[in-house]
Amino acid sequence: MRLHYILIGFCLCCCSLFAQPNYDFSRLQMERLGRGVVAVRNSESEVVVSWRYLASDSEEIAFDVLRNGKKVNKEPIKDCTFFVDRNSSDEKALYEVHPVLPEGVHAVSGIYELPANAPCGYLEIPLQKPAGGISPDGRRFEYTPNDASIGDVDGDGEYEIILKWEPTNAHDNSHDGYTGNTLFEAYRLNGQRLWQIDLGHNIRSGAHYVPFLVYDFDGDGRAELAVRTSDGTVDGKGKIIGDAKADYRGKGGPEDPRSLGRILTGREFLTVFSGLTGEELCSVPYVPSRGNPSDWGDSRANRSDRFLAAVAYLDGCKPSIVMCRGYYTRTVLAAFDWDGKKLKKRWVFDSNRYPEYAGQGNHNLRVGDVDGDGCDEIVYGSCTIDHNGKGLYSTGMGHGDAMHLTCFDPSEKKLQVWDCHENKRDGSSFRDAATGKVLWQVKSSMDVGRCMAADIDPTSSGVEMWSLASGGIRSVKGKVLCKRPRRLSCNMAVWWDGDLLRELLDGVTVSKYDWQKRECVPLITFEGCQSNNWTKRNPCLQADILGDWREEVLLRTKDNNALRLYVSPIPTSYRFHSFLNDPVYRISIATQNVGYNQPTQPGFYFGPDLKGYFRGMYLSDGN
C-alpha cells in the first residue's frame, strides 16, 4: 500500500506535464520552497504535525519528527507527511522534521515552534489594526482585513502574508462617494508586522480597484508586490510617490453630484515594492492608461476603473506582470518584466485593434499554458490572449462573474474552462481552453452569477461542474448527475479532509458532498471568524500555504484584530508533491484576490480517478 501511494505522489508532478505537455519545468523560475512544517494542537492531548513533500524529494525519502530534540515517531514516516504527536503539555515546543535518506544524500529539513497554550486547530496571527478616519464629507470609517496573498519575502523558503486592509466605506464602481485609503501590510506567521503601504486618497477602495500581485518576479528568491499606485502613495519606509498634494477626487456639487469621490483624472503608476521592506523599487506610468473615461463605456469610471492583474510565464521561463483594464467594453492588457532594477514593457493587447475581444472579460481571470507551446496564456473570461500579446480566440459569450481552468477530464489530459455568463443567453459553458471550442453548454435566459467546479462525486469520472442555472451537478460530458442537490454552494472549494475528493468552502464552513444522499454535510465551522466580500463569502485566502498537500483557510476574526490560519487535523494516508510546485496552481493563488475571488486549481487532473489511472501504470511495471 505504501509504495502505491508514493507512486501516485511521484506521478503527480508528471501529471502536470501530461496536462501541459510542453512545459519545461527545468526552465521555469519557481520559488525555492522549504519544508513548510506546521504544528497545530488538535486536542488537549494531541498535536498534529504536517510538512511538504517537495518535487525535489526522491521516492525513497522518509521522515522523522522531533519534539524538543527527541524523536517522537517509532519508525520513519513513509506513507504521508502528517503525524499525530501525543503531547498533552501546554508549554512551548520546538518541532523538527528531518528527512531519512541513504548516507551522503541530503534534503531540506524544517522546524516550527508551537507556542505555549496554542489554540486548537489554527495559527493565531495577531494584527495591528489601523486607526479609522473621517472622509471629506464627515463620515467615519474603520478598517477590516480583506484579501491576502503569500510570498517568501526574505528568501528563507517559507511564506509571509501580504494583507489588504479595506475601509468600511469602500465602494463598488457603480457607486459614488468617498472611500478611505487602501492599506497593505506584510506579516510573518507569528504576527510580526514588517511594513505598511498606504495607497493614498487617489486610489479608490473597492473590490475592482486594486488587484495586487505577490511573486518573485526577478528570481532573487524574495517576493515583490506589484500594484497600481498614484500621487500620494506612501511606501513601507515612509517615502511618498509623486505629488503629495495632488487630489484627483471629484467634489460633487449641484452641477455634477454623481462625481463625489470618483477619480476621473490624474496620474497612475505601476509600482513594484520590496516584499521585505515595502520600499518602492520602481514606478512607471500605468498601462493601460485611463485616457477619456467615456472611451471605456461610460463617463463615471464604472467601466474604465475595472482592473484585473495576473502573473504569467509568457516566455516559458520567467514570470511577467500583467496589468489589465476593462472588460465590459474596451479591454487592454499590458505585460511587464521586472529584472530587479527596471520594469520593461513586453507587449500591450488592446481590443480597439481586435474588436471581437471587446466586452469578453470576467470579474477574474485564469493563467496557464493552454495550447501546449510551453508559454502561458491569459484566459480573460470569454476570450484568451496568447503569450505573445495577440488574440488566441474569442467565443463572443461576453462577461461573467466566475470561471474555472483545470484538467477536468483525466482521459483528455488537457485544460478546459467552465464559465458562466451574464448576457441572459449563453448561461454556462464548458470549452476547450486551447481553441475555445464549446464542448457542451446549458443556455439560460437568466444572468448566471456564479459557477463552481470541483471533483465531489467519485461515481462520475473527472471534475464535476454546476452553476446557478446548470440544472444541477453535471459531469465532464454534460450529463446531469443530480438535479437538486441540497445546500450546494457556488463560492469556494478546498482540499481538507484527506481523501482525493474536494470539499466546499462557503463563508466559514467546510462541507462535504454526500453523493448518496445528494446533499452537502458540514464538516467544520470556523467559530469566531468572518468571511469577506458580501455574498461571495470568501476567506482572506484559501491555498496550500504550508504543511502537506492539503489546503489551509485564512480568515479574519470577528473583531478584526487577528487572522486565523486553519490547518486540517484529519489524518491522511496520501503523500503528494506540494501543489505549489505546479505553476498553474501557484499562479491561481497569486490571482485569487483579483476581482471576485475564485478557488485555486492545478494544471492537472486531481481526484479519485488518480487511483485507477495510475494503478494501471504501476501494474504495467510488473509489480
Side-chain angles (χ1 to χ4, degrees), residues 248-494:
Y248 304 128
R249 294 172 295 181
K251 303 302 187 291
E255 295 184 359
D256 193 5
R258 292 185 59 196
S259 72
L260 183 69
R262 291 185 178 273
I263 299 172
L264 306 175
T265 62
R267 297 195 299 175
E268 302 169 292
F269 310 109
L270 167 60
T271 299
V272 175
F273 296 94
S274 165
L276 181 59
T277 67
E279 178 185 7
E280 176 203 14
L281 300 177
C282 181
S283 293
V284 297
Y286 186 85
V287 180
S289 62
R290 177 190 296 111
N292 183 352
S294 297
D295 293 342
W296 301 86
D298 65 68
S299 61
R300 291 289 181 268
N302 184 19
R303 283 163 169 74
S304 65
D305 277 10
R306 300 283 180 166
F307 297 94
L308 301 176
V311 177
Y313 289 86
L314 300 174
D315 63 357
C317 299
K318 297 180 180 180
S320 295
I321 300 167
V322 182
M323 306 305 287
C324 318
R325 189 177 214 134
Y327 39 76
Y328 286 125
T329 48
R330 184 186 177 194
T331 294
V332 182
L333 292 77
F336 292 84
D337 297 327
W338 169 247
D339 64 3
K341 295 182 180 180
K342 296 184 296 183
L343 276 166
K344 181 180 180 182
K345 187 163 57 180
R346 177 178 283 268
W347 50 252
V348 176
F349 172 91
D350 191 337
S351 65
N352 281 350
R353 296 179 56 196
Y354 301 89
E356 67 272 26
Y357 289 79
Q360 301 302 311
N362 273 23
H363 282 302
N364 32 64
L365 42 67
R366 296 284 186 174
V367 175
D369 176 17
V370 303
D371 57 5
D373 62 2
C375 304
D376 280 339
E377 284 73 44
I378 297 99
V379 182
Y380 205 80
S382 292
C383 64
T384 294
I385 312 304
D386 208 349
H387 70 277
N388 56 10
K390 298 180 180 180
L392 188 63
Y393 65 81
S394 175
T395 67
M397 292 184 183
H399 169 73
D401 283 3
M403 175 177 57
H404 306 274
L405 170 77
T406 191
C407 178
F408 289 76
D409 187 344
S411 68
E412 292 288 338
K413 305 181 188 64
K414 60 183 179 180
L415 297 173
Q416 296 103 5
V417 177
W418 173 237
D419 198 2
C420 58
H421 312 281
E422 283 192 356
N423 58 21
K424 299 182 179 182
R425 178 193 69 207
D426 288 308
S428 315
S429 62
F430 185 54
R431 74 178 191 253
D432 184 299
T435 65
K437 178 183 177 182
V438 176
L439 304 175
W440 53 265
Q441 183 177 5
V442 183
K443 294 194 174 186
S444 175
S445 60
M446 67 176 283
D447 172 347
V448 184
R450 301 295 284 171
C451 64
M452 177 53 67
D455 200 339
I456 60 173
D457 186 345
T459 67
S460 173
S461 177
V463 174
E464 285 74 53
M465 289 158 272
W466 61 97
S467 75
L468 297 182
S470 60
I473 301 172
R474 293 183 178 256
S475 72
V476 293
K477 304 301 181 184
K479 177 183 176 182
V480 176
L481 303 174
C482 177
K483 286 186 178 180
R484 295 181 181 86
R486 293 184 291 275
R487 297 191 294 273
L488 186 72
S489 72
C490 282
N491 282 332
M492 299 291 283
V494 60

Side-chain angles (χ1 to χ4, degrees), residues 123-194:
L123 280 62
E124 180 93 359
I125 306 170
L127 301 174
Q128 297 181 35
K129 184 180 177 182
I134 301 175
S135 60
D137 56 0
R139 299 186 179 185
R140 179 169 292 278
F141 62 88
E142 302 296 331
Y143 278 99
T144 61
N146 194 254
D147 292 331
S149 194
I150 53 173
D152 178 8
V153 304
D154 56 9
D156 67 352
E158 306 301 339
Y159 289 126
E160 285 72 43
I161 293 172
I162 310 300
L163 175 67
K164 180 178 78 169
W165 287 93
E166 193 166 81
T168 51
N169 62 351
H171 282 305
D172 185 83
N173 298 56
S174 61
H175 299 160
D176 307 320
Y178 290 108
T179 73
N181 299 357
T182 300
L183 309 176
F184 286 99
E185 292 184 335
Y187 285 90
R188 299 193 191 277
L189 295 185
N190 63 7
Q192 179 189 0
R193 192 182 76 172
L194 301 178

Side-chain angles (χ1 to χ4, degrees), residues 151-154 214-216 220-225 273-276:
D152 178 8
V153 304
D154 56 9
V214 180
Y215 215 80
D216 178 11
D220 67 352
R222 299 185 297 273
E224 294 83 37
L225 166 67
F273 296 94
S274 165
L276 181 59

